[in-house]
Amino acid sequence: MNPTSQAAPTSATTEVAARAAVAQHLQQQPNSALYQFDSARVTDVDTHWQVMVPRTDWAKRMPNAAAFEVDKQTGKVTTLMVK
């Protein structure tokens, strides 16, 4: 998986904008059908949003979600490592 989004980012000052940025990022991934975006959880963490998106192929394991960070100022999406 590519660690950063290829699209030109814009600001993501709201949870809705953060969800939209991650959705756009996931649509560019070859395995986008594995993500259950409608079940994503968003957490406000100072200067960025953390978005946890469950994956269908990870249903019986922990962690069962992929993590993404969205910079509030730039809207840049970064894939986080999940332990």
Side-chain angles (χ1 to χ4, degrees), residues 14-79:
T14 66
E15 180 178 329
V16 172
R19 284 178 176 270
V22 172
Q24 181 180 7
H25 175 74
L26 291 177
Q27 288 174 353
Q28 298 171 5
Q29 303 305 310
N31 59 350
S32 63
L34 297 176
Y35 294 94
Q36 297 176 315
F37 191 72
D38 58 334
S39 297
R41 294 182 318 255
V42 180
T43 304
D44 187 347
V45 185
D46 298 323
T47 61
H48 62 275
W49 300 97
Q50 185 177 60
V51 183
M52 301 292 290
V53 184
R55 287 180 52 136
T56 58
D57 60 333
W58 294 357
K60 301 283 186 198
R61 64 170 244 186
M62 289 302 287
N64 64 352
F68 302 92
E69 180 178 282
V70 182
D71 185 282
K72 288 182 180 179
Q73 186 175 14
T74 66
K76 180 180 176 183
V77 177
T78 306
T79 301

